[in-house]
Amino acid sequence: MIAAIAKTFYEISGKHVLCTAPNVDLIRQNKDKYIATGNPASVFSASIGKSLRHPVTFGTPISIHNQIEKFGDKFGLICIDECHGITPTIKNIINEIKQKNNNLRVIGLSATPYRLGTGLIYGMDEYDKPSRESECVDPYFAKKVYTIGGRELIEQGFLTPPVIGAIHGDHYDTINMRINSMGKFHQEDIDRAYTGQNRKTANIIADIVAQSRYRKGIMIFAATVQHAMECMESLPPELSRMIGGKINTSKEQRRKLVNDFKNQKFKYLVSVGTMTTGVDFTHVDVVALMRATESIGLLKQCVGRGLRLHDGKIDLLVLDYAQNIERHCG
């Protein structure tokens, strides 16, 4: 979608397009999708290079902000990926560029257009109906201009249909976990649900392995670093890797792990506190939720890791061992 918007806007207006994303993985992914349209693109990110040579530039907010003077007055559109996570840095970038082009347009894309604590990120829906004060607090975007839901994308063949799998045996008791003022679960509730559950964790992993026998890529979302390490103890070591916490902290290690998983050099990826947003692991056909999610938005993001299309992929098996579907969907 971002590639199509950027391409169309430049062809119509002749103005340059700046596309931001919260991390380097998304920058690479979005740039590759744009290049697939047959057009060149620039990248502006400290870790992978800085260039403004081409009409469409993909960049990380900090790198752009640190050298905002280079962007001049040629940009007519800023396209923000994962715009529910808009930051003061992105707002400053918009303000700086808008001073040089008062006709600057700003478009945000998000599968979850709301934020914990402040609600909806737009003030008016696509039917020009204002959002109620109870639904949003000081929304940044003036209007939601278009909505397409997961069901429509599945029916039109743009996403893989999900299938909720049966849970055979153990699951974690998370239904009464409480949310604190920061929008996170209380630590004592996390400890109560997961600490000392090694046998249960081993049984759940055994069920995941059994149900994934003929599957290609399995993403397992764990609750804590300790929990993720317990998961790894029960997975086949030669086919499994863990990401998050203090594991694979260098950019090089993380990039290699991500690329190895994309290239199917291992089968099981255990994630703790990361990999919930935007990453393009198209071959993933099992998502195992071993952590509780604080919001339906985070639940959608986790499940969304397995909805991308891939050759030979028929469906996405969703295994929920932490009562997320019961908590958020009834």
Side-chain angles (χ1 to χ4, degrees), residues 4 33-34 41 65 85 94 99 127 161 180 204 237 276 298-299 314:
K33 299 294 185 185
Y34 184 79
H65 189 262
I94 294 168
Q99 288 181 14
Y127 308 107
N180 62 26
I204 290 172
T276 58
L298 181 55
L299 173 60
I314 298 172

Side-chain angles (χ1 to χ4, degrees), residues 275-292:
M275 297 285 117
T276 58
T277 302
V279 287
D280 201 18
F281 298 135
T282 61
H283 74 291
V284 166
D285 51 5
V286 178
V287 168
L289 298 161
M290 296 181 68
R291 61 159 292 177

Side-chain angles (χ1 to χ4, degrees), residues 93-106:
I93 290 169
I94 294 168
N95 291 337
E96 290 286 338
I97 294 179
K98 196 166 187 177
Q99 288 181 14
K100 298 167 185 175
N101 177 14
N102 195 47
N103 291 320
L104 178 72
R105 297 293 185 259
V106 179

Side-chain angles (χ1 to χ4, degrees), residues 228-243:
M229 293 172 69
E230 291 172 6
C231 294
M232 289 294 295
E233 289 174 1
S234 297
L235 285 165
E238 71 281 4
L239 297 176
S240 310
R241 302 289 186 275
M242 172 180 164
I243 190 167

Side-chain angles (χ1 to χ4, degrees), residues 93-215:
I93 290 169
I94 294 168
N95 291 337
E96 290 286 338
I97 294 179
K98 196 166 187 177
Q99 288 181 14
K100 298 167 185 175
N101 177 14
N102 195 47
N103 291 320
L104 178 72
R105 297 293 185 259
V106 179
I107 294 176
L109 291 94
S110 173
T112 52
Y114 39 81
R115 295 165 67 99
L116 286 174
T118 60
L120 298 174
I121 60 173
Y122 54 86
M124 186 176 295
D125 67 17
E126 61 267 51
Y127 308 107
D128 295 330
K129 179 182 177 182
S131 301
R132 294 192 299 268
E133 289 185 14
S134 60
E135 294 177 324
C136 60
V137 178
D138 191 25
Y140 182 78
F141 293 94
K143 183 178 179 179
K144 178 173 69 171
V145 297
Y146 191 78
T147 302
I148 187 163
R151 184 181 298 275
E152 294 169 275
L153 290 169
I154 291 167
E155 290 174 349
Q156 294 177 25
F158 292 106
L159 291 179
T160 302
V163 175
I164 307 301
I167 302 305
H168 302 129
D170 285 321
H171 69 272
Y172 300 102
D173 184 9
T174 69
I175 203 69
N176 294 315
M177 288 173 62
R178 301 161 297 160
I179 303 288
N180 62 26
S181 60
M182 301 297 291
K184 301 295 183 181
F185 287 121
H186 285 275
Q187 187 60 48
E188 58 265 35
D189 289 351
I190 296 174
D191 293 340
R192 189 180 304 112
Y194 291 97
T195 300
Q197 302 290 342
N198 302 53
R199 182 182 295 274
K200 181 179 288 187
T201 298
N203 290 340
I204 290 172
I205 291 295
D207 187 49
I208 293 171
V209 171
Q211 295 206 52
S212 304
R213 183 177 178 184
Y214 300 109
R215 299 275 174 163

